[in-house]
Amino acid sequence: MAARRSRIPATKYPVERFTLDNGLRVVLTPDRSAPVIGVAVVYDVGIRSEPEGRTGFAHLFEHLMFQGSENLEKLAHFRHVQGAGGTFNGSTHLDYTDYFETLPSNALERALFLEADRMRGPRLTEENLRNQVDVVKEEIRVNVLNRPYGGFPWLTLPPVMFDTFPNAHDGYGSFVDLESATVEDAADFFRRFYASGNAVLAVGGDIDVTEAATLIERHFGDVPARPAPKRPDFAEPDLTEERRTSYTDELAPLPAVAGAWRVPDPISDFAGYLPYVVLAEVLTDGDASRLVERLVQRDRAVTGLSGYVGFMGDPFDVRDPTALLLQAHLPPGGDVDKVLRTIDEELDRLAGDGLAEGELARTQARMATHLLRDTDAVLGRALQMAVLEQQRGEPGLLNDLPRLIGEVTDEQVRAAAATLRPERRASIEVIAGGAR
């Protein structure tokens, strides 16, 4: 059967690309509809790149990048962005770390100066390091150690599915590794990964392309040229037999379970990967979705359910290996084995019988709506284009994603479902210690 043509239109956000002599890649996407700009810098280093013995270092370094820089004292970045009426943040992912601001368009040069200044060199001191180690440790306490279901499943499932350190280790970091970090470790991490040749700068919003390019050359052109480091090989084989484990969460009031299956390489096999992104939504997005209707509404076997591709829910900014995940919370006394069996039954039914009339089109429309909403703001557009440039050299793919989602066929979704077999699954069960 020929692929069904999508009724979902492509967006037409303009894209201008160039590379500075020092290797910094630049993406500009002008939008003069409002006097606002979004500025994003994405470095090609994330959780998977951090060395053994330095778990949590990618995230720790994200914190250090806000502690002053070559020409600015601690907290100056905060003051200059907020003083111009802007907002800012940064985040650490499996495959990259980003830093970003939203500002009035008349503050473009201010944002470029701030990002270029810390690209030249953050203020790495013993005081700043010790302070941020303590901050990160407290974040781990709040978000993982002292929270029900902390780290479930994005921290707890990878070591079940994967065997190699880059893919399996705790990306938040152990206290031992964090406390033993030195200023020289931080300086070496900066030299290796925070190179101009390992970064992408994206600017979206109310800009004149020629003027913005001139300002970028002025502020970033003299950042010392350092090439991108050789990216480690994160590859490892797929599972050939089911892996399953459990642990007791003393704070969790109810049991939970998560399962994951490897999916095709999102970069080199994008056409093979997209049906899995759609499949995750077919299974779990909304009350009419397959597993919600069966497990939540009909069987009452779970109280809540979600599905997504990418351990951090990031299907379009992650490299291989990655996975399709399903996670569910169960009522008191819930039967995890029954939930997993039911998931297998529904996958078999989908693979065998196909989708109901309108089921795929409804899912694709919702997915397109979410994609369009997330990139409607200039910062969301700049961030996504920066990552697409970094990982694919194709920032304009942003315009085509809704249409490409809409062109996934029933047959492709059925074929994807047929590969999610129990022997390829890794799963982890949360035993509710808090129920006692």
Side-chain angles (χ1 to χ4, degrees):
M1 180 183 292
R4 178 176 56 81
R5 296 299 299 171
S6 168
R7 299 184 208 173
I8 299 171
T11 53
K12 297 179 180 180
Y13 297 126
V15 182
E16 300 282 346
R17 304 166 65 221
F18 59 93
T19 302
L20 300 185
D21 291 343
N22 58 14
L24 177 67
R25 287 178 283 169
V26 179
V27 178
L28 303 178
T29 175
D31 178 352
R32 310 307 294 268
S33 62
V36 178
I37 56 166
V39 176
V41 179
V42 173
Y43 294 90
D44 198 343
V45 57
I47 289 169
R48 284 202 266 219
S49 297
E50 58 196 19
E52 291 192 54
R54 286 291 171 263
T55 59
F57 210 91
H59 177 227
L60 172 63
F61 203 88
E62 176 214 319
H63 281 249
L64 290 172
M65 286 286 280
F66 288 96
Q67 301 306 301
S69 52
E70 186 172 287
N71 294 300
L72 295 173
E73 73 279 10
K74 189 172 183 175
L75 302 182
H77 192 108
F78 300 40
R79 188 175 70 253
H80 284 295
V81 173
Q82 292 173 335
T87 59
F88 64 93
N89 213 330
S91 58
T92 308
H93 302 252
L94 288 178
D95 293 304
Y96 67 93
T97 306
D98 58 23
Y99 304 88
F100 46 89
E101 296 88 15
T102 300
L103 288 155
S105 54
N106 62 5
L108 172 61
E109 186 163 16
R110 179 180 299 212
L112 297 176
F113 166 77
L114 292 171
E115 291 297 350
D117 199 52
R118 62 179 169 183
M119 184 179 288
R120 290 187 189 89
R123 195 175 290 252
L124 302 176
T125 67
E126 184 68 23
E127 178 188 0
N128 283 346
L129 178 61
R130 299 276 70 87
N131 174 266
Q132 292 310 302
V133 165
D134 288 342
V135 170
V136 171
K137 286 167 59 181
E138 184 60 23
E139 192 172 321
I140 294 170
R141 292 186 187 99
V142 170
N143 292 335
V144 179
L145 300 180
N146 296 326
R147 172 179 291 188
Y149 314 104
F152 171 78
W154 77 278
L155 290 178
T156 56
L157 191 51
V160 182
M161 171 166 270
F162 299 119
D163 296 319
T164 64
F165 175 80
N167 298 313
H169 76 276
D170 181 348
Y172 240 142
S174 76
F175 282 12
V176 171
D177 286 354
L178 291 168
E179 289 167 351
S180 62
T182 66
V183 172
E184 183 51 43
D185 290 332
D188 180 65
F189 194 83
F190 175 78
R191 285 191 295 266
R192 290 175 62 192
F193 296 111
Y194 278 71
S196 53
N198 207 38
V200 174
L201 165 68
V203 182
D206 185 21
I207 58 171
D208 175 270
V209 169
T210 302
E211 179 186 357
T214 299
L215 291 174
I216 289 167
E217 177 65 46
R218 177 185 304 167
H219 289 283
F220 287 89
D222 64 351
V223 173
R226 300 201 313 281
K230 178 177 173 54
R231 189 178 305 118
D233 181 9
F234 302 138
E236 56 182 285
D238 195 1
L239 300 184
T240 56
E241 60 181 7
E242 184 177 13
R243 294 183 181 181
R244 184 170 171 183
T245 190
S246 64
Y247 68 98
T248 299
D249 184 338
E250 296 295 346
L251 300 176
L254 297 170
V257 65
W261 298 258
R262 289 279 294 276
V263 296
D265 188 324
I267 306 297
S268 67
D269 187 13
F270 193 53
Y273 173 76
L274 276 178
Y276 290 86
V277 180
V278 176
L279 172 61
E281 302 298 318
V282 166
L283 292 171
T284 65
D285 185 29
D287 290 343
S289 62
R290 295 241 165 178
L291 292 179
V292 172
E293 192 278 330
R294 171 75 186 275
L295 285 166
V296 179
Q297 298 176 352
R298 192 196 320 171
D299 295 355
R300 308 288 184 184
V302 306
T303 58
L305 180 76
S306 61
Y308 46 94
V309 174
F311 283 90
M312 302 176 78
D314 46 7
F316 301 120
D317 56 7
V318 66
R319 294 189 175 106
D320 190 65
T322 190
L324 184 153
L325 289 85
L326 299 173
Q327 67 180 85
H329 292 261
L330 284 65
D335 187 338
V336 167
D337 289 331
K338 181 180 179 182
V339 170
L340 293 176
R341 284 197 305 271
T342 302
I343 290 173
D344 292 336
E345 289 173 12
E346 288 299 315
L347 288 169
D348 287 344
R349 188 164 70 89
L350 177 55
D353 300 341
L355 293 98
E357 180 69 27
E359 185 178 8
L360 180 58
R362 180 184 69 242
T363 301
Q364 290 167 318
R366 288 170 67 108
M367 294 177 71
T369 298
H370 294 155
L371 285 168
L372 295 169
R373 179 198 63 200
D374 292 344
T375 56
D376 184 54
V378 292
L379 179 60
R381 208 174 308 156
L383 273 169
Q384 189 67 62
M385 284 190 177
V387 177
L388 291 171
E389 168 65 36
Q390 177 211 77
Q391 297 184 349
R392 303 168 180 272
E394 196 177 355
L397 180 62
L398 178 73
N399 286 317
D400 294 323
L401 283 176
R403 176 182 58 81
L404 292 172
I405 287 290
E407 290 178 351
V408 172
T409 66
D410 294 46
E411 291 78 9
Q412 289 174 313
V413 175
R414 289 177 64 178
T419 70
L420 304 190
R421 307 303 305 158
E423 61 270 18
R424 295 185 58 242
R425 181 174 60 215
S427 60
I428 189 160
E429 176 185 354
V430 179
I431 299 169
R436 295 193 294 266

